[in-house]
Amino acid sequence: MDSGRFFKQPVYPWRSIFLDERYIFCHNEVTVYKYVEEYAPELFTKIQELVKKGKWHIMGGWYLQPDCNMPSGESFVRQILEAKRYFLEKFGVHPTTAINFDPFGHTVGLVQIMKKCGQDSYIFTRPYGSQLDLDDDLFYWEGLDGSKIKALRAHGYNSPLGNSREVIERRANDDEHETCVVLWGVGNHGGGPTIKNIQLIEEYNKKEDRKYDLKMANPVEFFEKIEADGEYIYAYELNCGYLAAIQIVDIPMETAVTFTAKPYV
């Protein structure tokens, strides 16, 4: 995890991006917040203010993004409960949507654990479609005890500098639902969205011939919208374990969420 870059890069968002009322910053993992709290207390106070204003959304709600194949059930429980205590104490929030973008598989035991810990939805990216075939990337995930959570397999979580609009539009075109989620942000594992990216999205929304309405949002809003629209069809008792290689990977630190509402024809 490039924590040094995390502290250096966000200087511009506090002064510029967060002045834009359209922008919502989404971030997870207790570990990074603790680094900020210890080494940049003024920044930590600013984050607390942004959370209260709804400009900063604490997503995920776990201590960090772990391997999701090998740890014991107790380890997963501690991940969630320790993080829940921290986020409630420091920010007064309890994230209900868990996210694990980079683990290479997800044990079915997670469903029961998340449900009983107060989380009702889950976003992941791996295994990819080429590794695990699903009838739909949006589904109810059913655990061994009959517990169910809402689940989404997202496609990517970054976008090249200045190409946010193209990436969002391409991913929206590949989605069959009336409302879809697109994860975007400059760089891989560490880069946040830029003012230029936000401007490109705003320009798109002003086009009369646009195919979609783009809205800055957070994962909780997305799942609430999808459920209200009755988009869920499939239910899986899915043990999506996949291990291509043993790797040490960075953790995505700055990921913004935009969901794309497709107009009804």
Side-chain angles (χ1 to χ4, degrees):
M1 183 188 306
D2 192 350
S3 57
R5 181 170 59 175
F6 176 76
F7 292 133
K8 292 176 182 177
Q9 280 190 334
V11 172
Y12 71 88
W14 317 129
R15 298 179 181 178
S16 302
I17 286 185
F18 283 108
L19 295 177
D20 191 321
E21 292 301 319
R22 299 161 297 182
Y23 183 66
I24 299 174
F25 187 84
C26 298
H27 189 276
N28 63 310
E29 297 171 336
V30 167
T31 48
V32 177
Y33 286 93
K34 281 194 168 185
Y35 294 146
V36 177
E37 184 180 15
E38 181 176 357
Y39 296 108
E42 292 184 2
L43 176 58
F44 189 78
T45 299
K46 181 62 176 177
I47 293 173
Q48 289 176 314
E49 295 173 358
L50 291 169
V51 170
K52 291 179 180 178
K53 294 178 180 178
K55 299 293 294 173
W56 184 298
H57 177 78
I58 296 176
M59 67 178 183
W62 287 28
Y63 205 86
L64 50 73
Q65 287 190 65
D67 171 78
C68 290
N69 280 312
M70 299 299 291
S72 67
E74 179 67 17
S75 176
F76 287 123
V77 169
R78 294 297 174 184
Q79 281 273 359
I80 301 172
L81 292 184
E82 290 299 319
K84 182 176 181 178
R85 293 190 185 104
Y86 180 84
F87 286 130
L88 282 173
E89 177 187 346
K90 302 298 182 179
F91 300 98
V93 299
H94 167 46
T96 55
T97 297
I99 63 105
N100 280 304
F101 294 148
D102 265 343
F104 285 77
H106 311 263
T107 171
V108 69
L110 282 174
V111 180
Q112 179 179 348
I113 291 171
M114 285 189 284
K115 190 74 172 182
K116 293 184 182 301
C117 287
Q119 296 194 301
D120 61 11
S121 44
Y122 191 58
I123 299 179
F124 66 100
T125 61
R126 307 173 191 267
Y128 299 135
S130 60
Q131 299 157 348
L132 177 68
D133 184 36
L134 297 174
D135 292 321
D136 198 321
D137 289 324
L138 182 67
F139 57 95
Y140 282 115
W141 190 10
E142 184 172 344
L144 297 175
D145 71 335
S147 299
K148 288 183 181 180
I149 60 172
K150 296 164 283 188
L152 170 71
R153 177 168 63 185
H155 297 276
Y157 47 75
N158 54 34
S159 54
L161 180 64
N163 284 70
S164 59
R165 185 175 65 192
E166 290 82 355
V167 169
I168 292 171
E169 194 168 5
R170 183 179 69 250
R171 292 177 184 167
N173 285 335
D174 292 338
D175 196 282
E176 298 179 354
H177 296 278
E178 294 295 333
T179 300
C180 68
V181 67
V182 177
L183 309 172
W184 62 280
V186 177
N188 190 18
H189 305 278
T194 65
I195 294 174
K196 177 62 176 177
N197 282 337
I198 296 175
Q199 291 172 341
L200 289 171
I201 293 171
E202 185 65 15
E203 290 172 5
Y204 178 87
N205 276 336
K206 292 179 180 179
K207 293 173 58 177
E208 293 186 0
D209 61 343
R210 68 184 184 279
K211 295 174 62 177
Y212 316 111
D213 292 323
L214 307 181
K215 179 188 176 184
M216 304 287 180
N218 62 63
V220 175
E221 288 183 64
F222 167 73
F223 281 112
E224 288 176 348
K225 177 72 165 61
I226 286 292
E227 190 164 46
D229 291 345
E231 289 273 7
Y232 290 97
I233 301 176
Y234 299 98
Y236 295 99
E237 185 179 287
L238 191 66
N239 191 51
C240 48
Y242 173 81
L243 188 62
I246 297 175
Q247 298 187 25
I248 298 176
V249 297
D250 289 332
I251 298 172
M253 295 187 296
E254 298 177 79
T255 305
V257 177
T258 297
F259 72 70
T260 307
K262 300 185 178 182
Y264 289 93
V265 177

